[in-house]
PDB file of all heavy atoms in Angstrom:
ATOM      1  N   ALA A  65      13.318  11.478  14.586  1.00  0.00           N
ATOM      2  CA  ALA A  65      13.985  11.143  13.319  1.00  0.00           C
ATOM      3  C   ALA A  65      13.538  12.076  12.207  1.00  0.00           C
ATOM      4  O   ALA A  65      14.334  12.469  11.346  1.00  0.00           O
ATOM      5  CB  ALA A  65      13.679   9.692  12.956  1.00  0.00           C
ATOM      6  N   TYR A  69      16.296  14.140   9.898  1.00  0.00           N
ATOM      7  CA  TYR A  69      16.485  13.956   8.466  1.00  0.00           C
ATOM      8  C   TYR A  69      16.014  15.164   7.663  1.00  0.00           C
ATOM      9  O   TYR A  69      16.642  15.555   6.673  1.00  0.00           O
ATOM     10  CB  TYR A  69      15.743  12.693   7.986  1.00  0.00           C
ATOM     11  CG  TYR A  69      16.341  11.413   8.494  1.00  0.00           C
ATOM     12  CD1 TYR A  69      15.604  10.542   9.287  1.00  0.00           C
ATOM     13  CD2 TYR A  69      17.651  11.056   8.185  1.00  0.00           C
ATOM     14  CE1 TYR A  69      16.149   9.363   9.764  1.00  0.00           C
ATOM     15  CE2 TYR A  69      18.200   9.885   8.653  1.00  0.00           C
ATOM     16  CZ  TYR A  69      17.449   9.042   9.447  1.00  0.00           C
ATOM     17  OH  TYR A  69      18.001   7.880   9.920  1.00  0.00           O
ATOM     18  N   CYS A  96      16.154  18.149  -8.511  1.00  0.00           N
ATOM     19  CA  CYS A  96      14.826  17.640  -8.218  1.00  0.00           C
ATOM     20  C   CYS A  96      13.798  18.335  -9.089  1.00  0.00           C
ATOM     21  O   CYS A  96      12.732  18.684  -8.633  1.00  0.00           O
ATOM     22  CB  CYS A  96      14.500  17.838  -6.730  1.00  0.00           C
ATOM     23  SG  CYS A  96      13.517  16.477  -6.076  1.00  0.00           S
ATOM     24  N   GLY A  97      14.135  18.573 -10.361  1.00  0.00           N
ATOM     25  CA  GLY A  97      13.185  19.221 -11.259  1.00  0.00           C
ATOM     26  C   GLY A  97      13.380  20.725 -11.279  1.00  0.00           C
ATOM     27  O   GLY A  97      14.332  21.266 -10.722  1.00  0.00           O
ATOM     28  N   GLU A 101       8.977  23.540  -9.226  1.00  0.00           N
ATOM     29  CA  GLU A 101       8.652  22.273  -8.588  1.00  0.00           C
ATOM     30  C   GLU A 101       9.312  22.175  -7.225  1.00  0.00           C
ATOM     31  O   GLU A 101       8.723  21.658  -6.265  1.00  0.00           O
ATOM     32  CB  GLU A 101       9.113  21.110  -9.491  1.00  0.00           C
ATOM     33  CG  GLU A 101       8.317  21.013 -10.776  1.00  0.00           C
ATOM     34  CD  GLU A 101       8.876  20.001 -11.761  1.00  0.00           C
ATOM     35  OE1 GLU A 101      10.116  19.969 -11.950  1.00  0.00           O
ATOM     36  OE2 GLU A 101       8.092  19.250 -12.324  1.00  0.00           O
ATOM     37  N   GLN A 105       7.507  21.565  -3.640  1.00  0.00           N
ATOM     38  CA  GLN A 105       7.945  20.550  -2.670  1.00  0.00           C
ATOM     39  C   GLN A 105       8.178  21.174  -1.303  1.00  0.00           C
ATOM     40  O   GLN A 105       7.824  20.600  -0.273  1.00  0.00           O
ATOM     41  CB  GLN A 105       9.241  19.888  -3.148  1.00  0.00           C
ATOM     42  CG  GLN A 105       9.073  18.970  -4.330  1.00  0.00           C
ATOM     43  CD  GLN A 105      10.386  18.694  -5.020  1.00  0.00           C
ATOM     44  OE1 GLN A 105      11.453  18.805  -4.402  1.00  0.00           O
ATOM     45  NE2 GLN A 105      10.343  18.345  -6.284  1.00  0.00           N
ATOM     46  N   GLU A 109       6.363  20.372   2.200  1.00  0.00           N
ATOM     47  CA  GLU A 109       7.138  19.995   3.391  1.00  0.00           C
ATOM     48  C   GLU A 109       6.767  20.891   4.573  1.00  0.00           C
ATOM     49  O   GLU A 109       6.670  20.417   5.715  1.00  0.00           O
ATOM     50  CB  GLU A 109       8.639  20.119   3.083  1.00  0.00           C
ATOM     51  CG  GLU A 109       9.533  19.522   4.134  1.00  0.00           C
ATOM     52  CD  GLU A 109       9.498  18.005   4.134  1.00  0.00           C
ATOM     53  OE1 GLU A 109       9.789  17.406   3.096  1.00  0.00           O
ATOM     54  OE2 GLU A 109       9.165  17.430   5.181  1.00  0.00           O
ATOM     55  N   TRP A 119       0.646  15.612  15.187  1.00  0.00           N
ATOM     56  CA  TRP A 119       0.498  14.165  15.273  1.00  0.00           C
ATOM     57  C   TRP A 119       1.553  13.493  16.137  1.00  0.00           C
ATOM     58  O   TRP A 119       1.319  12.437  16.698  1.00  0.00           O
ATOM     59  CB  TRP A 119       0.568  13.544  13.869  1.00  0.00           C
ATOM     60  CG  TRP A 119      -0.580  13.882  12.991  1.00  0.00           C
ATOM     61  CD1 TRP A 119      -1.881  14.057  13.360  1.00  0.00           C
ATOM     62  CD2 TRP A 119      -0.543  14.080  11.583  1.00  0.00           C
ATOM     63  NE1 TRP A 119      -2.646  14.346  12.263  1.00  0.00           N
ATOM     64  CE2 TRP A 119      -1.849  14.363  11.152  1.00  0.00           C
ATOM     65  CE3 TRP A 119       0.477  14.038  10.619  1.00  0.00           C
ATOM     66  CZ2 TRP A 119      -2.168  14.607   9.826  1.00  0.00           C
ATOM     67  CZ3 TRP A 119       0.150  14.270   9.301  1.00  0.00           C
ATOM     68  CH2 TRP A 119      -1.156  14.551   8.924  1.00  0.00           C
ATOM     69  N   LYS A 120       2.753  14.090  16.220  1.00  0.00           N
ATOM     70  CA  LYS A 120       3.875  13.541  16.998  1.00  0.00           C
ATOM     71  C   LYS A 120       4.152  12.074  16.642  1.00  0.00           C
ATOM     72  O   LYS A 120       3.959  11.181  17.459  1.00  0.00           O
ATOM     73  CB  LYS A 120       3.592  13.640  18.497  1.00  0.00           C
ATOM     74  CG  LYS A 120       3.335  15.053  18.972  1.00  0.00           C
ATOM     75  CD  LYS A 120       3.353  15.080  20.486  1.00  0.00           C
ATOM     76  CE  LYS A 120       2.972  16.405  21.088  1.00  0.00           C
ATOM     77  NZ  LYS A 120       2.092  17.278  20.359  1.00  0.00           N
ATOM     78  N   PRO A 121       4.581  11.773  15.430  1.00  0.00           N
ATOM     79  CA  PRO A 121       4.753  10.368  15.034  1.00  0.00           C
ATOM     80  C   PRO A 121       6.006   9.724  15.608  1.00  0.00           C
ATOM     81  O   PRO A 121       6.229   8.535  15.398  1.00  0.00           O
ATOM     82  CB  PRO A 121       4.871  10.461  13.508  1.00  0.00           C
ATOM     83  CG  PRO A 121       5.413  11.803  13.255  1.00  0.00           C
ATOM     84  CD  PRO A 121       4.869  12.699  14.316  1.00  0.00           C
ATOM     85  N   GLU A 123       6.566   9.209  18.692  1.00  0.00           N
ATOM     86  CA  GLU A 123       6.244   8.449  19.909  1.00  0.00           C
ATOM     87  C   GLU A 123       6.248   6.961  19.602  1.00  0.00           C
ATOM     88  O   GLU A 123       6.159   6.555  18.434  1.00  0.00           O
ATOM     89  CB  GLU A 123       4.858   8.869  20.415  1.00  0.00           C
ATOM     90  CG  GLU A 123       4.853  10.250  21.027  1.00  0.00           C
ATOM     91  CD  GLU A 123       3.453  10.788  21.197  1.00  0.00           C
ATOM     92  OE1 GLU A 123       2.495  10.047  20.935  1.00  0.00           O
ATOM     93  OE2 GLU A 123       3.322  11.955  21.585  1.00  0.00           O
ATOM     94  N   LEU A 125       5.028   2.921  19.359  1.00  0.00           N
ATOM     95  CA  LEU A 125       3.895   2.354  18.633  1.00  0.00           C
ATOM     96  C   LEU A 125       2.591   2.455  19.421  1.00  0.00           C
ATOM     97  O   LEU A 125       2.545   2.165  20.612  1.00  0.00           O
ATOM     98  CB  LEU A 125       4.198   0.882  18.329  1.00  0.00           C
ATOM     99  CG  LEU A 125       3.273   0.145  17.370  1.00  0.00           C
ATOM    100  CD1 LEU A 125       3.238   0.845  16.026  1.00  0.00           C
ATOM    101  CD2 LEU A 125       3.747  -1.278  17.195  1.00  0.00           C
ATOM    102  N   VAL A 126       1.507   2.853  18.729  1.00  0.00           N
ATOM    103  CA  VAL A 126       0.213   3.037  19.388  1.00  0.00           C
ATOM    104  C   VAL A 126      -0.295   1.704  19.931  1.00  0.00           C
ATOM    105  O   VAL A 126      -0.635   1.561  21.091  1.00  0.00           O
ATOM    106  CB  VAL A 126      -0.816   3.607  18.384  1.00  0.00           C
ATOM    107  CG1 VAL A 126      -2.183   3.631  19.005  1.00  0.00           C
ATOM    108  CG2 VAL A 126      -0.430   4.986  17.963  1.00  0.00           C
ATOM    109  N   GLU A 127      -0.334   0.705  19.033  1.00  0.00           N
ATOM    110  CA  GLU A 127      -0.872  -0.597  19.436  1.00  0.00           C
ATOM    111  C   GLU A 127      -0.301  -1.648  18.504  1.00  0.00           C
ATOM    112  O   GLU A 127      -0.268  -1.442  17.296  1.00  0.00           O
ATOM    113  CB  GLU A 127      -2.401  -0.570  19.300  1.00  0.00           C
ATOM    114  CG  GLU A 127      -3.120  -1.666  20.041  1.00  0.00           C
ATOM    115  CD  GLU A 127      -4.582  -1.740  19.624  1.00  0.00           C
ATOM    116  OE1 GLU A 127      -5.107  -0.715  19.145  1.00  0.00           O
ATOM    117  OE2 GLU A 127      -5.178  -2.810  19.760  1.00  0.00           O
ATOM    118  N   ALA A 129      -0.251  -5.099  16.333  1.00  0.00           N
ATOM    119  CA  ALA A 129      -1.306  -5.815  15.625  1.00  0.00           C
ATOM    120  C   ALA A 129      -1.555  -7.157  16.315  1.00  0.00           C
ATOM    121  O   ALA A 129      -0.654  -7.694  16.963  1.00  0.00           O
ATOM    122  CB  ALA A 129      -0.880  -6.054  14.181  1.00  0.00           C
ATOM    123  N   PRO A 130      -2.762  -7.736  16.194  1.00  0.00           N
ATOM    124  CA  PRO A 130      -2.998  -9.086  16.733  1.00  0.00           C
ATOM    125  C   PRO A 130      -2.033 -10.085  16.088  1.00  0.00           C
ATOM    126  O   PRO A 130      -1.517  -9.848  15.009  1.00  0.00           O
ATOM    127  CB  PRO A 130      -4.435  -9.408  16.326  1.00  0.00           C
ATOM    128  CG  PRO A 130      -5.034  -8.126  15.959  1.00  0.00           C
ATOM    129  CD  PRO A 130      -3.974  -7.147  15.630  1.00  0.00           C
ATOM    130  N   GLN A 133      -2.224 -11.202  12.312  1.00  0.00           N
ATOM    131  CA  GLN A 133      -2.814 -10.237  11.389  1.00  0.00           C
ATOM    132  C   GLN A 133      -2.053 -10.158  10.085  1.00  0.00           C
ATOM    133  O   GLN A 133      -2.622 -10.131   9.014  1.00  0.00           O
ATOM    134  CB  GLN A 133      -2.831  -8.860  12.063  1.00  0.00           C
ATOM    135  CG  GLN A 133      -3.472  -7.772  11.227  1.00  0.00           C
ATOM    136  CD  GLN A 133      -4.929  -8.042  10.948  1.00  0.00           C
ATOM    137  OE1 GLN A 133      -5.671  -8.471  11.817  1.00  0.00           O
ATOM    138  NE2 GLN A 133      -5.357  -7.822   9.724  1.00  0.00           N
ATOM    139  N   TRP A 134      -0.726 -10.112  10.150  1.00  0.00           N
ATOM    140  CA  TRP A 134       0.033  -9.903   8.926  1.00  0.00           C
ATOM    141  C   TRP A 134       0.653 -11.205   8.410  1.00  0.00           C
ATOM    142  O   TRP A 134       1.540 -11.180   7.571  1.00  0.00           O
ATOM    143  CB  TRP A 134       1.147  -8.883   9.158  1.00  0.00           C
ATOM    144  CG  TRP A 134       0.627  -7.545   9.550  1.00  0.00           C
ATOM    145  CD1 TRP A 134       0.979  -6.847  10.667  1.00  0.00           C
ATOM    146  CD2 TRP A 134      -0.321  -6.734   8.848  1.00  0.00           C
ATOM    147  NE1 TRP A 134       0.304  -5.647  10.696  1.00  0.00           N
ATOM    148  CE2 TRP A 134      -0.502  -5.565   9.592  1.00  0.00           C
ATOM    149  CE3 TRP A 134      -1.040  -6.877   7.663  1.00  0.00           C
ATOM    150  CZ2 TRP A 134      -1.364  -4.537   9.208  1.00  0.00           C
ATOM    151  CZ3 TRP A 134      -1.902  -5.869   7.269  1.00  0.00           C
ATOM    152  CH2 TRP A 134      -2.043  -4.717   8.039  1.00  0.00           C
ATOM    153  N   LYS A 135       0.163 -12.353   8.899  1.00  0.00           N
ATOM    154  CA  LYS A 135       0.753 -13.621   8.458  1.00  0.00           C
ATOM    155  C   LYS A 135       0.182 -13.974   7.089  1.00  0.00           C
ATOM    156  O   LYS A 135      -1.023 -13.966   6.883  1.00  0.00           O
ATOM    157  CB  LYS A 135       0.396 -14.697   9.489  1.00  0.00           C
ATOM    158  CG  LYS A 135       1.005 -16.035   9.226  1.00  0.00           C
ATOM    159  CD  LYS A 135       0.992 -16.845  10.538  1.00  0.00           C
ATOM    160  CE  LYS A 135       1.248 -18.311  10.255  1.00  0.00           C
ATOM    161  NZ  LYS A 135       0.049 -19.056   9.876  1.00  0.00           N
TER     162      LYS A 135
ATOM    163  N   TYR B  98      13.890   3.743   6.682  1.00  0.00           N
ATOM    164  CA  TYR B  98      13.846   5.201   6.864  1.00  0.00           C
ATOM    165  C   TYR B  98      12.449   5.622   7.310  1.00  0.00           C
ATOM    166  O   TYR B  98      12.276   6.343   8.295  1.00  0.00           O
ATOM    167  CB  TYR B  98      14.245   5.839   5.529  1.00  0.00           C
ATOM    168  CG  TYR B  98      14.084   7.335   5.412  1.00  0.00           C
ATOM    169  CD1 TYR B  98      14.951   8.196   6.053  1.00  0.00           C
ATOM    170  CD2 TYR B  98      13.094   7.882   4.617  1.00  0.00           C
ATOM    171  CE1 TYR B  98      14.819   9.564   5.924  1.00  0.00           C
ATOM    172  CE2 TYR B  98      12.961   9.243   4.468  1.00  0.00           C
ATOM    173  CZ  TYR B  98      13.825  10.090   5.125  1.00  0.00           C
ATOM    174  OH  TYR B  98      13.688  11.449   4.976  1.00  0.00           O
ATOM    175  N   GLU B 101      11.646   4.498  10.787  1.00  0.00           N
ATOM    176  CA  GLU B 101      12.336   5.292  11.814  1.00  0.00           C
ATOM    177  C   GLU B 101      11.629   6.619  12.057  1.00  0.00           C
ATOM    178  O   GLU B 101      11.553   7.109  13.169  1.00  0.00           O
ATOM    179  CB  GLU B 101      13.764   5.563  11.348  1.00  0.00           C
ATOM    180  CG  GLU B 101      14.739   5.818  12.478  1.00  0.00           C
ATOM    181  CD  GLU B 101      16.088   6.282  11.958  1.00  0.00           C
ATOM    182  OE1 GLU B 101      16.471   5.843  10.849  1.00  0.00           O
ATOM    183  OE2 GLU B 101      16.733   7.072  12.643  1.00  0.00           O
ATOM    184  N   PRO B 104       7.514   5.757  13.908  1.00  0.00           N
ATOM    185  CA  PRO B 104       7.387   4.537  14.716  1.00  0.00           C
ATOM    186  C   PRO B 104       6.039   4.411  15.415  1.00  0.00           C
ATOM    187  O   PRO B 104       5.676   3.327  15.868  1.00  0.00           O
ATOM    188  CB  PRO B 104       8.515   4.683  15.756  1.00  0.00           C
ATOM    189  CG  PRO B 104       8.754   6.121  15.837  1.00  0.00           C
ATOM    190  CD  PRO B 104       8.459   6.706  14.496  1.00  0.00           C
ATOM    191  N   LYS B 105       5.262   5.534  15.464  1.00  0.00           N
ATOM    192  CA  LYS B 105       3.990   5.493  16.184  1.00  0.00           C
ATOM    193  C   LYS B 105       2.959   4.644  15.455  1.00  0.00           C
ATOM    194  O   LYS B 105       2.044   4.087  16.061  1.00  0.00           O
ATOM    195  CB  LYS B 105       3.470   6.926  16.329  1.00  0.00           C
ATOM    196  CG  LYS B 105       2.291   7.081  17.255  1.00  0.00           C
ATOM    197  CD  LYS B 105       2.008   8.560  17.455  1.00  0.00           C
ATOM    198  CE  LYS B 105       0.782   8.778  18.319  1.00  0.00           C
ATOM    199  NZ  LYS B 105       0.412  10.183  18.390  1.00  0.00           N
ATOM    200  N   GLN B 108       3.760  -0.816  11.933  1.00  0.00           N
ATOM    201  CA  GLN B 108       3.910  -2.053  12.695  1.00  0.00           C
ATOM    202  C   GLN B 108       4.931  -2.973  12.053  1.00  0.00           C
ATOM    203  O   GLN B 108       5.639  -3.694  12.732  1.00  0.00           O
ATOM    204  CB  GLN B 108       2.565  -2.779  12.802  1.00  0.00           C
ATOM    205  CG  GLN B 108       1.603  -2.062  13.717  1.00  0.00           C
ATOM    206  CD  GLN B 108       0.182  -2.556  13.545  1.00  0.00           C
ATOM    207  OE1 GLN B 108      -0.120  -3.238  12.590  1.00  0.00           O
ATOM    208  NE2 GLN B 108      -0.674  -2.196  14.471  1.00  0.00           N
ATOM    209  N   GLN B 109       4.972  -2.974  10.732  1.00  0.00           N
ATOM    210  CA  GLN B 109       5.850  -3.911  10.035  1.00  0.00           C
ATOM    211  C   GLN B 109       6.196  -3.330   8.678  1.00  0.00           C
ATOM    212  O   GLN B 109       5.402  -2.595   8.096  1.00  0.00           O
ATOM    213  CB  GLN B 109       5.090  -5.226   9.844  1.00  0.00           C
ATOM    214  CG  GLN B 109       5.957  -6.445   9.679  1.00  0.00           C
ATOM    215  CD  GLN B 109       5.089  -7.682   9.572  1.00  0.00           C
ATOM    216  OE1 GLN B 109       4.193  -7.881  10.383  1.00  0.00           O
ATOM    217  NE2 GLN B 109       5.340  -8.501   8.590  1.00  0.00           N
ATOM    218  N   MET B 121       3.048  -1.905   6.830  1.00  0.00           N
ATOM    219  CA  MET B 121       1.846  -2.275   7.581  1.00  0.00           C
ATOM    220  C   MET B 121       1.658  -1.282   8.707  1.00  0.00           C
ATOM    221  O   MET B 121       2.561  -1.124   9.542  1.00  0.00           O
ATOM    222  CB  MET B 121       2.033  -3.669   8.196  1.00  0.00           C
ATOM    223  CG  MET B 121       1.734  -4.801   7.267  1.00  0.00           C
ATOM    224  SD  MET B 121       2.863  -4.920   5.901  1.00  0.00           S
ATOM    225  CE  MET B 121       2.672  -6.614   5.467  1.00  0.00           C
ATOM    226  N   HIS B 123      -0.976   0.857  11.723  1.00  0.00           N
ATOM    227  CA  HIS B 123      -2.144   0.822  12.596  1.00  0.00           C
ATOM    228  C   HIS B 123      -3.224   1.700  11.975  1.00  0.00           C
ATOM    229  O   HIS B 123      -2.908   2.730  11.383  1.00  0.00           O
ATOM    230  CB  HIS B 123      -1.740   1.364  13.970  1.00  0.00           C
ATOM    231  CG  HIS B 123      -2.795   1.195  14.995  1.00  0.00           C
ATOM    232  ND1 HIS B 123      -3.784   2.136  15.205  1.00  0.00           N
ATOM    233  CD2 HIS B 123      -3.034   0.201  15.869  1.00  0.00           C
ATOM    234  CE1 HIS B 123      -4.583   1.727  16.164  1.00  0.00           C
ATOM    235  NE2 HIS B 123      -4.145   0.558  16.594  1.00  0.00           N
ATOM    236  N   THR B 132      -0.319  11.310   4.378  1.00  0.00           N
ATOM    237  CA  THR B 132       0.121  12.698   4.175  1.00  0.00           C
ATOM    238  C   THR B 132       1.643  12.778   4.141  1.00  0.00           C
ATOM    239  O   THR B 132       2.212  13.509   3.326  1.00  0.00           O
ATOM    240  CB  THR B 132      -0.383  13.607   5.311  1.00  0.00           C
ATOM    241  OG1 THR B 132      -1.625  13.134   5.767  1.00  0.00           O
ATOM    242  CG2 THR B 132      -0.497  15.026   4.839  1.00  0.00           C
ATOM    243  N   PHE B 133       2.290  12.012   5.032  1.00  0.00           N
ATOM    244  CA  PHE B 133       3.751  12.025   5.027  1.00  0.00           C
ATOM    245  C   PHE B 133       4.281  11.549   3.682  1.00  0.00           C
ATOM    246  O   PHE B 133       5.165  12.155   3.079  1.00  0.00           O
ATOM    247  CB  PHE B 133       4.279  11.128   6.158  1.00  0.00           C
ATOM    248  CG  PHE B 133       5.752  10.893   6.090  1.00  0.00           C
ATOM    249  CD1 PHE B 133       6.639  11.855   6.545  1.00  0.00           C
ATOM    250  CD2 PHE B 133       6.271   9.739   5.542  1.00  0.00           C
ATOM    251  CE1 PHE B 133       8.003  11.653   6.469  1.00  0.00           C
ATOM    252  CE2 PHE B 133       7.624   9.527   5.456  1.00  0.00           C
ATOM    253  CZ  PHE B 133       8.493  10.491   5.923  1.00  0.00           C
ATOM    254  N   HIS B 137       6.285  14.620   1.954  1.00  0.00           N
ATOM    255  CA  HIS B 137       7.704  14.649   2.293  1.00  0.00           C
ATOM    256  C   HIS B 137       8.550  14.673   1.034  1.00  0.00           C
ATOM    257  O   HIS B 137       8.245  13.992   0.055  1.00  0.00           O
ATOM    258  CB  HIS B 137       8.053  13.432   3.143  1.00  0.00           C
ATOM    259  CG  HIS B 137       9.433  13.462   3.688  1.00  0.00           C
ATOM    260  ND1 HIS B 137       9.873  14.461   4.526  1.00  0.00           N
ATOM    261  CD2 HIS B 137      10.479  12.627   3.524  1.00  0.00           C
ATOM    262  CE1 HIS B 137      11.131  14.237   4.850  1.00  0.00           C
ATOM    263  NE2 HIS B 137      11.524  13.117   4.261  1.00  0.00           N
ATOM    264  N   THR B 138       9.636  15.455   1.067  1.00  0.00           N
ATOM    265  CA  THR B 138      10.452  15.661  -0.124  1.00  0.00           C
ATOM    266  C   THR B 138      11.138  14.372  -0.568  1.00  0.00           C
ATOM    267  O   THR B 138      11.356  14.169  -1.765  1.00  0.00           O
ATOM    268  CB  THR B 138      11.539  16.704   0.158  1.00  0.00           C
ATOM    269  OG1 THR B 138      11.026  17.660   1.063  1.00  0.00           O
ATOM    270  CG2 THR B 138      11.967  17.387  -1.098  1.00  0.00           C
ATOM    271  N   GLN B 141       7.299  11.894  -1.799  1.00  0.00           N
ATOM    272  CA  GLN B 141       6.560  12.471  -2.931  1.00  0.00           C
ATOM    273  C   GLN B 141       5.727  11.450  -3.692  1.00  0.00           C
ATOM    274  O   GLN B 141       5.768  11.378  -4.920  1.00  0.00           O
ATOM    275  CB  GLN B 141       7.534  13.142  -3.918  1.00  0.00           C
ATOM    276  CG  GLN B 141       8.119  14.421  -3.341  1.00  0.00           C
ATOM    277  CD  GLN B 141       8.975  15.143  -4.359  1.00  0.00           C
ATOM    278  OE1 GLN B 141       8.527  15.349  -5.473  1.00  0.00           O
ATOM    279  NE2 GLN B 141      10.176  15.512  -3.981  1.00  0.00           N
ATOM    280  N   ARG B 156      -9.299 -14.057  10.466  1.00  0.00           N
ATOM    281  CA  ARG B 156      -8.579 -13.124  11.338  1.00  0.00           C
ATOM    282  C   ARG B 156      -9.537 -12.374  12.249  1.00  0.00           C
ATOM    283  O   ARG B 156     -10.732 -12.264  11.971  1.00  0.00           O
ATOM    284  CB  ARG B 156      -7.817 -12.100  10.505  1.00  0.00           C
ATOM    285  CG  ARG B 156      -6.628 -12.675   9.782  1.00  0.00           C
ATOM    286  CD  ARG B 156      -5.962 -11.596   9.000  1.00  0.00           C
ATOM    287  NE  ARG B 156      -4.875 -12.125   8.183  1.00  0.00           N
ATOM    288  CZ  ARG B 156      -4.349 -11.483   7.159  1.00  0.00           C
ATOM    289  NH1 ARG B 156      -4.808 -10.299   6.844  1.00  0.00           N
ATOM    290  NH2 ARG B 156      -3.374 -12.027   6.463  1.00  0.00           N
ATOM    291  N   GLN B 157      -8.984 -11.802  13.325  1.00  0.00           N
ATOM    292  CA  GLN B 157      -9.805 -11.011  14.237  1.00  0.00           C
ATOM    293  C   GLN B 157     -10.295  -9.748  13.545  1.00  0.00           C
ATOM    294  O   GLN B 157     -11.450  -9.351  13.642  1.00  0.00           O
ATOM    295  CB  GLN B 157      -8.969 -10.653  15.471  1.00  0.00           C
ATOM    296  CG  GLN B 157      -9.723  -9.883  16.514  1.00  0.00           C
ATOM    297  CD  GLN B 157      -8.786  -9.275  17.533  1.00  0.00           C
ATOM    298  OE1 GLN B 157      -7.587  -9.534  17.522  1.00  0.00           O
ATOM    299  NE2 GLN B 157      -9.333  -8.448  18.391  1.00  0.00           N
ATOM    300  N   TYR B 158      -9.357  -9.047  12.840  1.00  0.00           N
ATOM    301  CA  TYR B 158      -9.736  -7.897  12.014  1.00  0.00           C
ATOM    302  C   TYR B 158      -9.748  -8.391  10.584  1.00  0.00           C
ATOM    303  O   TYR B 158      -8.721  -8.437   9.923  1.00  0.00           O
ATOM    304  CB  TYR B 158      -8.713  -6.774  12.179  1.00  0.00           C
ATOM    305  CG  TYR B 158      -8.712  -6.175  13.561  1.00  0.00           C
ATOM    306  CD1 TYR B 158      -7.732  -6.496  14.476  1.00  0.00           C
ATOM    307  CD2 TYR B 158      -9.701  -5.276  13.940  1.00  0.00           C
ATOM    308  CE1 TYR B 158      -7.730  -5.947  15.734  1.00  0.00           C
ATOM    309  CE2 TYR B 158      -9.705  -4.708  15.195  1.00  0.00           C
ATOM    310  CZ  TYR B 158      -8.715  -5.064  16.098  1.00  0.00           C
ATOM    311  OH  TYR B 158      -8.722  -4.514  17.340  1.00  0.00           O
ATOM    312  N   ARG B 170       8.255  11.320  -9.293  1.00  0.00           N
ATOM    313  CA  ARG B 170       9.558  11.981  -9.157  1.00  0.00           C
ATOM    314  C   ARG B 170      10.670  10.959  -8.997  1.00  0.00           C
ATOM    315  O   ARG B 170      11.724  11.076  -9.604  1.00  0.00           O
ATOM    316  CB  ARG B 170       9.505  12.918  -7.932  1.00  0.00           C
ATOM    317  CG  ARG B 170      10.826  13.479  -7.464  1.00  0.00           C
ATOM    318  CD  ARG B 170      11.432  14.460  -8.404  1.00  0.00           C
ATOM    319  NE  ARG B 170      10.572  15.591  -8.641  1.00  0.00           N
ATOM    320  CZ  ARG B 170      10.720  16.404  -9.684  1.00  0.00           C
ATOM    321  NH1 ARG B 170      11.682  16.197 -10.542  1.00  0.00           N
ATOM    322  NH2 ARG B 170       9.907  17.413  -9.855  1.00  0.00           N
ATOM    323  N   TYR B 180      -5.838  -2.496   8.801  1.00  0.00           N
ATOM    324  CA  TYR B 180      -6.821  -3.548   9.042  1.00  0.00           C
ATOM    325  C   TYR B 180      -8.030  -2.965   9.759  1.00  0.00           C
ATOM    326  O   TYR B 180      -7.954  -1.908  10.398  1.00  0.00           O
ATOM    327  CB  TYR B 180      -6.210  -4.683   9.870  1.00  0.00           C
ATOM    328  CG  TYR B 180      -5.517  -4.231  11.136  1.00  0.00           C
ATOM    329  CD1 TYR B 180      -6.240  -3.917  12.285  1.00  0.00           C
ATOM    330  CD2 TYR B 180      -4.133  -4.116  11.187  1.00  0.00           C
ATOM    331  CE1 TYR B 180      -5.612  -3.503  13.430  1.00  0.00           C
ATOM    332  CE2 TYR B 180      -3.504  -3.707  12.332  1.00  0.00           C
ATOM    333  CZ  TYR B 180      -4.233  -3.414  13.450  1.00  0.00           C
ATOM    334  OH  TYR B 180      -3.597  -2.997  14.587  1.00  0.00           O
TER     335      TYR B 180
END
Side-chain angles (χ1 to χ4, degrees):
Chain A
Y69 291 119
C96 216
E101 292 172 316
Q105 289 162 24
E109 191 72 57
W119 292 325
K120 302 192 186 28
E123 288 165 6
L125 190 58
V126 173
E127 197 192 336
Q133 182 63 42
W134 298 125
K135 184 160 165 276
Chain B
Y98 172 74
E101 205 188 328
K105 190 172 177 187
Q108 289 165 346
Q109 204 177 311
M121 277 66 157
H123 188 272
T132 328
F133 170 79
H137 188 60
T138 326
Q141 289 185 50
R156 289 180 185 162
Q157 182 194 353
Y158 293 103
R170 168 69 59 198
Y180 51 79

